[in-house]
Amino acid sequence: MLFIDGHWIEGRGIDMSSHSPHNGTQLWTGASATDNQVNAALEAATEAFQVWSFQSFEARLEIARAYAGILKENKDKLTELISMEAGKTGWDAAGEATAMINKVEISVTAYQERTGSKEAVNGTLRSKLSHRPYGVMAVFGPYNFPGHLPNGHIVPALLAGNTIVFKPSELTPAVAEFMVSCWEKAGLPHGVLNLVHGGKETGVALTSSPLIQGVLFTGSAQTGIAINKSLAGRPEVISALEMGGNNPLIVHKVDDLEAAATLTILSAYISSGQRCTCARRLIVPEGPEGDAFIATLANMIDRIHVDQVTSDETAFMGPVITKEAADHVLKEQERLIAKGGAVIRKSERLSALGDAFLSPGLIDVSVATDVPDEEIFGPLLQLTRVSDFDEAIKTANRTKYGLASGLISDDRDLYEYFYPRAQAGIVNWNQQLTGAASTAPFGGLGHSGNHRPSAYYAADYCAYGVATIEQAEGKVVVASAPLGLKDK
Ligand SMILES: NC(=O)C1=CN([C@@H]2O[C@H](COP(=O)(O)OP(=O)(O)OC[C@H]3O[C@@H](n4cnc5c(N)ncnc54)[C@H](O)[C@@H]3O)[C@@H](O)[C@H]2O)C=CC1
Ligand SMILES: O=C(O)CCC(=O)N[C@@H](CCC(=O)O)C(=O)O
């Protein structure tokens, strides 16, 4: 169902449905929004802005806290829905649900620290800084974190006083609907948050509307660039683009190979490789030290448990989102092999579990030619062997993206050399690349985004600053002015 101006209504566009990648169970059916329905949602948000933006921050916060409370009460249900619709293991889905609940208090602190208001009196003058919301924001979410990532735009945008038309991924409409129903139960006034379903056409209807003042997007670089082009010539529309990555992870000078392999697996294969922070490129020195690490890693890869969601929670990986997504990963793997990639572990379809289940793959592309600088969104890691640490850094930075970059090493000097040279918005040392903190900014360079990081810095793109100087006494007084007025 769509949610427009506080009412749940049927979409009148094309039929849609969502099925669990775990077992094919149908979870949701409905229809996309027509252009008229998208417009009705935008008009509702425009009208609601006149009321919502004038409410006090405290009044908005009360509703946001009620929303967090409702999420908490329904955490098990939310976890199950995320797990089923996005194909996550139970523990992974529970982590997403927890992040959604925590987002409210983190966003309050961020709002106050990053935007909030300030005053200072100097003599008879008072200077003030306050922040105001932009207006109607179009929020787009990806399928891999169907709750947490759109929630990371919605919560700060609403706290700041904006209103929203939210278009979730067409692959995860049920989680979106659940989330919006929690806001409804929390008492959000009509029109403040609207939900429209649909694919690319619905997205285009939203971004091309003159009624939006902002686009808050998390998704692929391809779509982010399309949105960027569609907003050309509209400088008044704020756009925050969080896109993909082709993230490097260097392993160099490590004693505990098992620990390094564990961090590599957590970086590359968590959520079946469907996190934009996942390591895609593993960079390891040539020679026996590197060989020993790769043998340890390959051995551990063989022991990774891939499964449908189970009650005993022993699986590390579930399926990718669809059979088509799995086909794409396998096709890209073949492409790497055709370009000279050597198989260390081949990603294979685990048909006994289902069409969307893949085993983790590791392909050595050191001597391959024309390896595409593209994000392969699944459990496939590309290995490059390098002659020395400088070569490792050069290889790491050889990408048009710049989301996350990491080093696993016992050598602090290497880290201190790597840190200022790593071209990415997230730079980690002896820590998995995935699992970014919501209490820090989140975003990247190049095709990973447009320098408007989300998470803690989402507050920044949800409000603009207004600088004011006023007479503290409230009277019209001017002590002296160099007007050089002549006597009459
Ligand atoms: N940097 C970040 O914070 C994150 C980035 N991602 C990236 O997201 C991708 C996976 O998510 P997907 O759902 O496949 O992304 P996607 O780019 O296919 O879709 C994202 C959203 O944009 C909509 N959309 C598609 N074409 C559009 C257009 N021309 N105009 C407006 N809206 C349009 C989709 O319907 C969906 O709601 C991966 O590439 C991943 O790296 C995922 C999570 C976090
Ligand atoms: O948005 C936040 O609060 C922090 C960012 C975050 O949670 N990132 C996740 C995954 C998002 C993705 O990359 O797909 C992570 O770093 O694992």
Side-chain angles (χ1 to χ4, degrees), residues 13-175:
I14 55 167
D15 288 344
M16 295 171 60
S17 58
S18 97
H19 296 85
S20 175
H22 281 293
N23 54 18
T25 309
Q26 182 169 291
L27 300 170
W28 183 94
T29 55
S32 65
T34 59
D35 285 359
N36 280 344
Q37 288 179 313
V38 169
N39 202 44
L42 286 162
E43 280 173 356
T46 304
E47 207 171 310
F49 180 72
Q50 296 311 322
V51 179
W52 184 245
S53 61
F54 283 97
Q55 297 221 335
S56 65
F57 177 76
E58 289 66 31
R60 296 197 293 260
L61 176 56
E62 199 178 317
I63 293 174
R65 284 196 167 135
Y67 163 72
I70 293 165
L71 289 182
K72 211 168 176 178
E73 277 162 29
N74 291 280
K75 191 176 164 204
D76 289 347
K77 200 168 160 194
L78 175 62
T79 298
E80 195 189 337
L81 193 55
I82 293 172
S83 166
M84 288 309 284
E85 196 172 45
K88 296 191 177 193
T89 59
W91 59 264
D92 199 1
E96 176 167 356
T98 303
M100 289 170 70
I101 297 164
N102 293 344
K103 182 59 79 176
V104 170
E105 289 309 320
I106 290 171
S107 301
V108 174
T109 315
Y111 177 83
Q112 285 157 346
E113 281 185 5
R114 306 255 341 141
T115 53
S117 52
K118 269 195 232 167
E119 273 192 25
V121 176
N122 185 0
T124 62
L125 296 180
R126 177 168 41 223
S127 58
K128 286 200 319 196
L129 171 63
S130 64
H131 285 85
R132 292 186 191 161
Y134 286 94
V136 178
M137 298 290 196
V139 171
F140 295 94
Y143 63 75
N144 64 328
F145 276 85
H148 172 51
L149 290 172
N151 191 60
H153 293 305
I154 291 170
V155 172
L158 291 183
L159 279 174
N162 300 282
T163 56
I164 290 172
V165 179
F166 167 35
K167 194 204 83 61
S169 165
E170 52 275 45
L171 298 173
T172 51
V175 172

Side-chain angles (χ1 to χ4, degrees), residues 250-255 389 407-412 414-415 429-430:
I250 302 174
V251 179
H252 210 101
K253 289 201 182 163
V254 174
D255 281 341
F389 197 62
L407 171 67
I408 300 178
S409 174
D410 296 322
D411 188 334
R412 177 176 289 276
L414 283 187
Y415 172 58
W429 179 36
N430 293 337

Side-chain angles (χ1 to χ4, degrees), residues 213-350:
Q213 279 78 42
V215 177
L216 312 183
F217 170 83
T218 304
S220 64
Q222 195 191 5
T223 306
I225 290 165
I227 290 174
N228 181 253
K229 284 184 182 157
S230 76
L231 294 176
R234 296 172 71 192
E236 73 281 11
V237 179
I238 193 101
S239 92
L241 306 173
E242 286 303 326
M243 310 187 290
N246 193 11
N247 309 307
L249 181 65
I250 302 174
V251 179
H252 210 101
K253 289 201 182 163
V254 174
D255 281 341
D256 186 342
L257 298 182
E258 292 254 334
T262 304
L263 286 178
T264 304
I265 284 170
L266 288 169
S267 300
Y269 304 123
I270 196 168
S271 308
S272 304
Q274 297 171 109
R275 294 197 188 191
C276 61
T277 42
C278 276
R280 308 290 176 203
R281 297 179 297 130
L282 178 64
I283 301 166
V284 175
E286 289 160 356
E289 183 205 334
D291 293 348
F293 168 67
I294 291 159
T296 308
L297 176 64
N299 180 278
M300 214 179 257
I301 288 174
D302 292 338
R303 289 155 48 215
I304 289 178
H305 181 185
V306 187
D307 210 342
Q308 296 183 352
V309 69
T310 51
S311 51
D312 64 0
E313 284 287 344
T314 54
F316 173 64
M317 279 169 52
V320 294
I321 189 73
T322 55
K323 172 188 177 296
E324 291 69 31
D327 292 345
H328 178 72
V329 173
L330 296 178
K331 198 181 95 211
E332 290 302 308
Q333 177 175 250
E334 287 311 318
R335 193 146 77 115
L336 293 176
I337 295 168
K339 286 177 179 295
V343 173
I344 296 177
R345 289 295 179 272
K346 199 166 186 182
S347 176
E348 313 260 19
R349 196 188 308 274
L350 303 174

Side-chain angles (χ1 to χ4, degrees), residues 405-429:
S405 183
L407 171 67
I408 300 178
S409 174
D410 296 322
D411 188 334
R412 177 176 289 276
D413 290 343
L414 283 187
Y415 172 58
E416 280 169 9
Y417 187 72
F418 165 75
Y419 185 77
R421 291 170 177 81
Q423 291 166 9
I426 295 164
V427 179
N428 285 0
W429 179 36

